[in-house]
Structures are given as structure tokens and as C-alpha cells.
Amino acid sequence: MDRQKKFLLSERDIPRQWYNIQAHMPNAMHPPLHPGTLEPIGPADLAPLFPMELIKQEVSKEPWIDIPDEVRDAYKIWRPTPLYRAHAFEKLLDTPAHIYYKYEGNSPSGSHKPNTAIPQAYYNKQEGVKKISTETGAGQWGSALSFACQYFGLECEVFMVKISYNQKPYRKLLMNVWDATVHASPTDRTQAGRSILAQDPNSPGSLGIAISEAVEVAAMSQDTKYSLGSVLNHVLMHQSIIGLEAELQMEMAGEFPDVVIAPFGGGSNFAGIAFPFLRHKLNGSKNVRCLAIEPASCPKLTKGQFRYDFGDTVGMTPLIPMYTLGHNFLPAPIHAGGLRYHGAGAIVSQLLKDQLIEAVAVQQLECFKRGVEFAKAEGIVPAPEATHAIAGVVREALKAKEEGRQTTILFNLCGHGYFDMSAYQDYFAGKLVDHHFTDDELYANLKELNTPEIA
Amino acid sequence: MDRQKKFLLSERDIPRQWYNIQAHMPNAMHPPLHPGTLEPIGPADLAPLFPMELIKQEVSKEPWIDIPDEVRDAYKIWRPTPLYRAHAFEKLLDTPAHIYYKYEGNSPSGSHKPNTAIPQAYYNKQEGVKKISTETGAGQWGSALSFACQYFGLECEVFMVKISYNQKPYRKLLMNVWDATVHASPTDRTQAGRSILAQDPNSPGSLGIAISEAVEVAAMSQDTKYSLGSVLNHVLMHQSIIGLEAELQMEMAGEFPDVVIAPFGGGSNFAGIAFPFLRHKLNGSKNVRCLAIEPASCPKLTKGQFRYDFGDTVGMTPLIPMYTLGHNFLPAPIHAGGLRYHGAGAIVSQLLKDQLIEAVAVQQLECFKRGVEFAKAEGIVPAPEATHAIAGVVREALKAKEEGRQTTILFNLCGHGYFDMSAYQDYFAGKLVDHHFTDDELYANLKELNTPEIA
């Protein structure tokens, strides 16, 4: 009995620096390119969109970046977050594996997203910005940034993918609680939105389209900047707070993970928990597998191509070196809206190319099945995005059982599913289906790309 | 800067005993009576409904009751819970008051209810019970018991007040995740339900009716017992874990509250946080005000009568000495379903009668206004029930400001509002109204009561 379930840190244990894996990558990422000149972009190219401090962080090779006191103070609203040993889930799976999870669902918006929303809002405020525009899929990111903007006294304008806007009214309402303005994207408020609507007035929207709209709004206004919830280097770095805390907590538990697992959308969730552990592999001191779980409805890591591509649909962003399915790829409509993005961040892409991390794609029915099992055992209903990690964990745990070996698994339970109960309702009602792309469907957009390839 | 926001305990600090205020009340509560004989009921009268250990706890005069290891182990899923200093909310209110809140929203079902659901399910399991029946209003209690039953391998049958069943489909779904069977009450499955439907086929239901149904199901079956989420002595005692933890945490903060505030439905929320502090007043060592905030839509503490009444609508329970508006009283339809109950638990009623605690009634518009302010400042969207405490806190904090005196306020933030966003939607849309009962409406049911009065 009296075995330990939670490994809790105190506020003074909240890390004082983020970890920047760019300092330790054996092969640096390829430079983002200006889409017109195809030359590497410089700080001046990004200055209309981001405050200078975030641009510096984007290209920094320093391994450790100080967390400002004001940011650390805001982190205290929900950090440090708990690390759990999944005793009951292990028992249910009858596995010799030790399963740990870092739980980020107790944040204001219910996911890991405020870890970067808070510093992004802070640096914008410091540099005199009045408003931040952004996109959101399922609404996790939009609600996180809404909270962060309100915390630092900034306006926030959110372009929410229309299908999610309609499916998840309560996420929108959460943004309204925090005073954000929310639009169903595509809108007629931007050139980008109007061009999409001209082609298809009933467009359900996509993350790529919403990014185009939010970028345009920022580019057109002096005192408005843009903010992204994943993909970019500084975003991934802010999320390292998850893994740095987890490292301290795994020490409390007296273990080091054999494998670290996280869902994969643009990369911040995965990078956040994995990179602080991966650094021990990069410096040769410890071995650890880092496993990204992507949806089979949008399999850029396992089926995509490593090449330059736009971050958005319309083609307003720099060209990013990424695993991509093409910036016009339309993912199958699954409930894990946060994972429906055509490309992977540049750092993660380079690490995958260098075989320093692994990826696997899973179907949503497997994810929901495992998510419900987890909720029964551990009491937390996971967000649809988080169920992807859980499906990956179960595969690893059952393999360990089959092979009769102990293994230590750590995963990121990135958010709760209390705003996603309609997804569970559909799952219980048998309304959810898996989606199997043909190769033609998967590669159609890649074939049309005329962006530079990477040798 | 670096000021402390959260006061966190470790798992080993989870209390090993509950506090039973019956040991220290200056005037013992009046005995519950058998409705037929009007004689005090004994253990045998309760045995069809409750396991013997809970019956013992119901009448115990021991100040401390051991928490079984298995219960403490289950508590570790979400306990100890954090205590927060509401720095940002204090700033927003511009008050000299120090405001602390104990947050119970990180439990599996999102409220304080699992604190008693877990031990109730445990003792039932220990005594060979197969199934537990219960009622639920907004669904907080039903989901907590569903989780607890599933945790210990028991069946769970929930009668959910029909209006909430329709308003809050996701709460029902949460119960389904944990394998409970949920009915919209009144049903045609019980004599009690059929008699209500015969009078009014469109009855929206009430907690009192749902209790009648759940009690009947338990009374009719050998291996089924009944469970209640508030009102009863053992339920209030299990919730003392909240205040006992908060006491340790207030010590960490170097303060003792001048006033402890909680929402009031049947009493378990309020008792849970207040009684461990009240014990210092009862033994004369410290002074503390304990303030219950009830909805003006159901003001039994401030407008009710202290007398014997039934716990349910049909009249199947023992007669309980309580502040009541009459067991047929139909509260105004507010969104804080958990507070829509006609009576108050016997212990709380006696303490109010003896002027050892205070009560105040507030309207729902004031509550939502303060709830939204709190969400903006502190990042947590409170359950509609919890907004009542917040409204009470603001009144105290603004009074302190007006009088220019420091005061230390502690309140129970009993749950999050992520399943109640439709209530916020209605609030923002201007659809919520206050309800002002006339005296005739308030006292109509009391006038018809033929249950014994208390001298």
C-alpha cells in the first residue's frame, strides 16, 4: 500500500531557464528561406510578425535561455505540474512496464499551450505591441493565448478553424471569458480568407488557412504581431519546461525513461517533454527513445517528404525545412483538431531525418479505445490529442509484456478532454471512423509543390 | 516578484484521519426520527440503505476517524489539492484582504465530491454490496460516485434530475465513461417516479424526487445500497479532508483565516472546509467566522424553518432535523444545480441555530459576474456552485476595503465550470435572470408540512 502515485515539486523548483536543443543538435536545421528570393531569412524579415526577443530565441544556439521573473510568476498559476505513476493503468494492461505521465491539463486553458502563450504575450508586451493575432484548430491554442493576452493586458484576435468553431462552441466561449475576439475561419476580413471563400464558400477551414489570415492581420498593422502555438523553434523551447520538470520528478521516482512518448501535431508537445531527455542522448550520457505519435489522418512524419514548404495554406510564411504532406493537404476530419497540420517543425524534422527520434501513425478508433481505458483506470479523461500518446504507450507496454521485459515509459498527458466530450459521445455512439488514405490522396499535394527540395 | 502563489503538500501529508465535529458540538443534533413511529431511528432502520460502517460513522461521537489505507491510496489520484493565494484577484478587487482558496477541481469528476464517493464505495465493497444507487442534480455527485464505483468494481445506477440531464449531456457522458447507468428522473422504473409522472408527465424533476427513486431502488434489492452526496453526517465528515489539508497549508502561508467561506447546497462543501477551522473556535483557542453562501433561489438557511422534514420529496427517508423550505419546495431553475435542495444537513442546521456559523443568500447574476472576474484574474473558470462562494468573498473583501482593515479570507473553490459552459453562454447572452420569491411562494410548502416541529 502507501506507494507513491504523484511526484510533486514546489514552486521554487520551477526551472529558471528553458532548454534550447539547437545548441546540441549534431546537424543544425536548414535555414528558413524567403519565398521570393529563396535566400535564408534574417531577423528583419520576421520583425513585422514577431517581437525581437522571440526572433533572437528562434535562432539562438545558447543551450539555456533565462525565464523572465514575470513569466515564472505567471507559470505559478499552474506550474509545477504533477508527474504521476500510472499504477492502475499498468495493472489494467497487466504489463511489467512502469508508466509515468506528466499532466499538463490543470493549466488555465487545460493543456500545455500556456507554457508558450505566457512568454510570447510577455515579450510582445515588453516591446510595446498592443494586439496579437493567431489561429487555432480545436481551440486549445486560442484559449491559451487569450488567457495570456488578458494576463498581460493585450488584445487578442483568434481565427478559429470553422469546423472546430462549430463543433466546439465552449472553447470559443472560454476565449470570450478571457476577452478575446474569435472569428470562424475562413472569414471575409482578410485577402487570404476571401480568396479561399471565392473558391469554396462552404470551406470548413483548416489550420493552414487560419494561419494565413492571422499572419495577414499582423502584417497589415503596426501595433499587431502574430503568434504561433507550435512548429517554431522558440515555441518548442518554451515547452521544454515540461521535460525539465519531468526530469526532476523522474529522479524523485528513481528512474530514467527508456522511452518518452507524446502526441505530434506541429511538434511543441513532443519537443516539450522529449528534448530535455534527448539532450542526455545527444551528449552520450544516457540512452533514450523519443517517440512521436501522429494521427494516421495526417501522417507527415511517417509518410511525408523532408523538403521546404510553407507553414500556411496561402503561402505567406517563410519556407520551412520540414516533413510535410504539402501545404494544401487537407487532413481527414478527426476530433484531435490540434494534430491536423500538414507539416512538422524544422528542428523535429531534422532530428527525425537524423534518426535521433522515431514516429508512428495511429488511427483514431485505437486512440479513443485507449483513451477510455485510461480514463477508467486513472480518472482523467484525456483530450483527443492526448489519446494518441496513450495509444503509443499501450503499444510499447504490451510489447514489453510480450517480450517479458521491464521498461520505463514516460508520456505527456498534454490536456484534459472536458471540452471534447462530444468526441467521446460520437465514439460511444459508433459514429467515429478510421480514415485510410490511398497513396494518391496522400501524395497529390506533394507532387504539385514547387518549393525547393532538400538534398 | 518571486512571491508564493501555491501552497503544496506532498502525498505523505494527506491526513490519515477525518475530523468529526459531532464530538465537539456544544449542543448535539436532534436525533433523526422514524416517519411512522416518530421514534429516534437506530442502526437497524438504516441497514437496508447503508453499510454498517457508514451507519457507525453517522452516529459516532469520536473526534477522529481513521481513513483506510485503500481510501487514502485512491485519494492520491488527486489529493493533496493545492491551496492558492489569489494575488491577482486581490489586485483586481483592490482590497487589503488576503484571499486564499482551496481548489478541489482537479479531481477525476472535477469537484470535491469524490472525497466522500471513494470511502462510500469502499465501505460498500467491503461489506459485499454489488450495486449503489444514487441521485444527482447537475451531475457532480453522480460522476464522482460513478468513478468511485468503477474504481472499486461496483455497479452504479444514477437518477439524474431531468432538467440537468437535458442541460448537461456531457456530465451524463462522463458517468458513462465510468460505466454507470444513468436515468433522467422522474422515471417509470420506480413507484416514486411513476407517482410524480402521474401528476405531471412533464415534470422537470428535482433532487428530492431523484432521491426518492434512488432510495426505492436500494430498499427493494438485497445487494444494492443507497448513497448520498451531501447532507448526512458521514458525508460531511469525509469532506473534512479539505479543511484539514487547508489548515496545514494556511500554516505554510503563516496565516489563520478570519473567515472561511463556501457555497451551500446540503452542507458537505461548506462543512468540508469550515469544520476543521471551526473546531478551534469550539475549543476556544481561535476565533473564526464560517460563512455559508446559499442561492437566493433556494434560501433554506436564511429563510427556512428549523424543524423535522424529509430528505426526499416522496417521504421515504427518516425525518431529519434541518433548516428547510419544505420537502416539496421547488427551487427556481438556476444553473447551480448542486445547490437546488430544499434542506440543510442536521449538523450544519444545529450549528446555525446555535449561531456558531453564518449564512447569506445571493442571486445568480451577482455570482456569475464575480465568477467571470475570478476567471479573468486567476485563470480557473469556476463551477456555478463555486461562484456563490466567490460572490461571498467579494462582499467580504470589499467591506474590508471600505473599512480599511486587513482580513484573511479562505474559501473553497469546490469545482471547475468546464462542464457548465452553457451556463456562461447564457450569462453572456443576457439570458440569465434573478428570481425573487414572494413570502407566499417561499412559505407555501412549509405551511403544509405536518412533520414534527422542534421546540
Side-chain angles (χ1 to χ4, degrees), chain B residues 307-319:
Chain B
R307 64 177 296 160
Y308 277 102
D309 196 5
F310 291 104
D312 68 328
T313 298
V314 172
M316 299 183 70
T317 70
L319 287 163

Side-chain angles (χ1 to χ4, degrees), chain B residues 335 364-365 422-423 425-434:
Chain B
H335 269 285
Q364 71 173 346
L365 288 179
S422 63
Q425 194 166 33
D426 289 350
Y427 172 68
F428 285 129
K431 287 184 189 164
L432 295 191
V433 291
D434 286 341

Side-chain angles (χ1 to χ4, degrees), chain A residues 326-374:
Chain A
H327 61 274
N328 281 309
F329 180 78
L330 208 60
I334 58 166
H335 269 286
L339 309 184
R340 298 179 71 237
Y341 184 67
H342 67 275
I347 291 178
V348 179
S349 293
Q350 187 64 49
L351 291 168
L352 182 65
K353 180 74 181 168
D354 292 341
Q355 300 185 318
L356 289 165
I357 62 173
E358 304 167 38
V360 63
V362 291
Q363 293 282 1
Q364 71 174 346
L365 288 180
E366 177 179 345
C367 293
F368 275 98
K369 177 172 189 284
R370 299 313 187 185
V372 170
E373 287 170 359
F374 182 84

Side-chain angles (χ1 to χ4, degrees), chain A residues 2-3 5-6 11 16 72 76-77 79 84 106 108 150 170 173 177-179 375-376 379 421, chain B residues 2-3 5-6 11 72 76-77 79 84 106 108 150 170 173 177-179 375-376 379 421-422:
Chain A
D2 223 16
R3 62 193 180 176
K5 167 92 188 144
K6 287 194 301 300
E11 281 188 352
R16 293 179 183 275
R72 213 168 154 275
K76 289 178 189 169
I77 294 171
R79 307 209 70 84
Y84 289 83
N106 293 340
Q150 192 226 229
Y170 296 154
L173 207 67
V177 167
W178 292 319
D179 289 341
K376 284 188 201 296
M421 295 306 290
Chain B
D2 223 14
R3 62 190 179 177
K5 167 92 187 144
K6 287 193 300 299
E11 281 188 352
R72 212 167 156 276
K76 290 178 189 168
I77 293 171
R79 306 209 71 84
Y84 289 83
N106 293 340
Q150 193 227 226
Y170 296 154
L173 208 67
V177 167
W178 292 318
D179 288 341
K376 283 188 202 295
M421 294 307 289
S422 63

